[in-house]
Amino acid sequence: MVIYYGCRHCGNDLGVLHDTEMDVSMRFFDLLKEQDMAEMLTSEKDGSFRLEVICEYCQQALDAHPDYHELDYFLQ
């Protein structure tokens, strides 16, 4: 199993976790509610998963402009 991390706002690829790196990272999923998991995690046709998170750049933009939280997409 492979998990690809990407930013849900700008679409940049952030990283990849392979089978051998899963033990510690899988503990993160225990902290999420089912609704959060459904919004953040999608399965791909090849059996891998994509986890949509937020990158540092987009987080800084949201911190600097809190009104952006109201928008579906704040990057043009």
Side-chain angles (χ1 to χ4, degrees):
M1 176 171 60
V2 177
I3 298 178
Y4 296 96
Y5 283 81
C7 181
R8 64 179 165 206
H9 296 286
C10 66
N12 284 336
D13 291 329
L14 302 174
V16 178
L17 282 178
H18 298 277
D19 306 17
T20 56
E21 303 164 316
M22 293 287 175
D23 292 339
V24 174
S25 298
M26 293 306 280
R27 294 181 194 159
F28 163 76
F29 295 119
D30 294 335
L31 302 174
L32 294 175
K33 297 177 183 173
E34 278 188 47
Q35 181 181 357
D36 295 332
M37 285 286 284
E39 291 175 7
M40 295 174 65
L41 192 64
T42 56
S43 58
E44 303 292 329
K45 292 179 181 179
D46 63 359
S48 64
F49 293 92
R50 180 158 180 90
L51 185 62
E52 297 290 332
V53 293
I54 186 167
C55 71
E56 187 175 347
Y57 172 77
C58 289
Q59 183 62 53
Q60 289 174 353
L62 286 169
D63 290 344
H65 305 281
D67 55 311
Y68 286 179
H69 285 280
E70 299 172 4
L71 307 173
D72 290 333
Y73 301 98
F74 62 88
L75 296 177
Q76 301 290 323

